[in-house]
Amino acid sequence: GVEPKPGQQVEQTLDLPGGGSIPYLLYLPQDYDSKPGKMPLMLFLHGRGESYGPLSLVKKWGPPQLVDRGEKLPYVVVSPQCPGNQSWSRPEQQAALIALLDHVTKSYRVDEDRVYLTGLSMGGYGSWRLAADHPERFAAVVPICGGGDPSDAPRLKDLPIWVFHGVEDKAVPFARSEEMVVAIRHAGSTTVKFTSLEEIGHNSWSAAYATPELYAWLNQQAISKNRARNARKP
């Protein structure tokens, strides 16, 4: 792929160690060259609809849409594409996501202490799965209108998680997010937040990603802070 310039989003492909490849959009912050030090990273997992077609479809929603429209996000934004015959929650896609995270982290000035994971719908499911299997890799997780396995709650309880879901969602029932939040709180979490969007159907992501408080909250999260907070727990 083309080497990205700061403030630009470009198409890339990573060849995977076990064969196959994963296409992804990569955005570097506007001040990537001018600002010293390492940059936080946001990994975004799209929904089912964006699997069917060219990689550029991934810009339809969420962070890749925001930067495509000219918004200046302060993160290295990585937005891979899942094949139509796969889903983000499947083990081979999960392995591909970790390989991609490792590759981008090594290739760019990424602050591994501030890696944020988010996704919508199928990508919300994928975010829950990836966070439960690799909780130590993420500073914060934002699963939007997805669902997970409530029995993963003990592995998720120490992570800052902000969940969004539309109450009127017909594609992924609101209860799928609710049961995760209840289970995680029950496991002892004080760091899970839940925004239920009244009178909103499946597209809860437009509202979620337009919430300034979300970015203010993300920017306060770091893996080292999570570790320190968990070390203080009785």
Side-chain angles (χ1 to χ4, degrees):
V2 192
E3 267 307 297
K5 292 188 175 63
Q8 279 186 351
Q9 184 165 240
V10 296
E11 300 194 353
Q12 306 276 302
T13 305
L14 174 67
D15 291 324
L16 296 166
S21 62
I22 186 166
Y24 63 102
L25 298 171
L26 178 67
Y27 165 85
L28 296 182
Q30 196 84 25
D31 56 0
Y32 183 81
D33 283 350
S34 56
K35 194 175 170 189
K38 296 188 167 186
M39 302 270 173
L41 180 146
M42 176 179 278
L43 176 61
F44 166 71
L45 306 182
H46 66 72
R48 171 47 79 208
E50 291 75 67
S51 286
Y52 305 111
L55 176 58
S56 57
L57 261 187
V58 173
K59 295 178 194 170
K60 186 174 175 185
W61 303 115
Q65 177 198 36
L66 297 179
V67 296
D68 192 52
R69 286 201 313 229
E71 299 211 19
K72 295 171 178 50
L73 292 184
Y75 322 106
V76 174
V77 181
V78 182
S79 307
Q81 188 178 34
C82 182
N85 62 348
Q86 281 277 340
S87 78
W88 285 131
S89 302
R90 294 217 345 220
E92 53 270 51
Q93 289 304 312
Q94 294 276 303
L97 290 171
I98 289 295
L100 177 59
L101 202 51
D102 288 342
H103 166 73
V104 175
T105 302
K106 279 202 295 274
S107 307
Y108 298 93
R109 294 200 330 273
V110 168
D111 184 351
E112 291 187 69
D113 196 35
R114 294 182 297 159
V115 175
Y116 307 122
L117 170 63
T118 186
L120 60 92
S121 196
M122 174 181 75
Y125 280 88
S127 298
W128 280 119
R129 185 71 263 138
L130 199 62
D133 288 344
H134 304 275
E136 72 294 339
R137 295 289 299 255
F138 301 105
V141 190
V142 184
I144 301 173
C145 65
D149 181 348
S151 70
D152 288 331
R155 308 175 61 163
L156 293 163
K157 70 177 177 13
D158 297 331
L159 271 174
I161 302 173
W162 193 341
V163 184
F164 290 82
H165 212 123
V167 176
E168 306 297 327
D169 195 327
K170 302 284 185 283
V172 179
F174 176 77
R176 294 309 315 271
S177 281
E178 197 172 37
E179 67 185 1
M180 290 303 290
V181 172
V182 167
I184 292 165
R185 285 185 179 145
H186 188 70
S189 172
T190 54
T191 49
V192 65
K193 292 157 69 80
F194 188 23
T195 297
S196 56
L197 296 155
E198 302 295 326
E199 295 178 26
I200 299 263
H202 191 47
N203 180 355
S204 45
W205 52 85
S206 292
Y209 290 124
T211 305
E213 294 80 5
L214 171 61
Y215 302 98
W217 174 83
L218 277 176
N219 296 342
Q220 292 164 7
Q221 311 305 329
I223 292 171
S224 54
K225 283 170 75 172
N226 297 345
R227 285 203 189 111
R229 186 176 51 244
N230 298 330
R232 288 196 302 271
K233 282 187 179 170

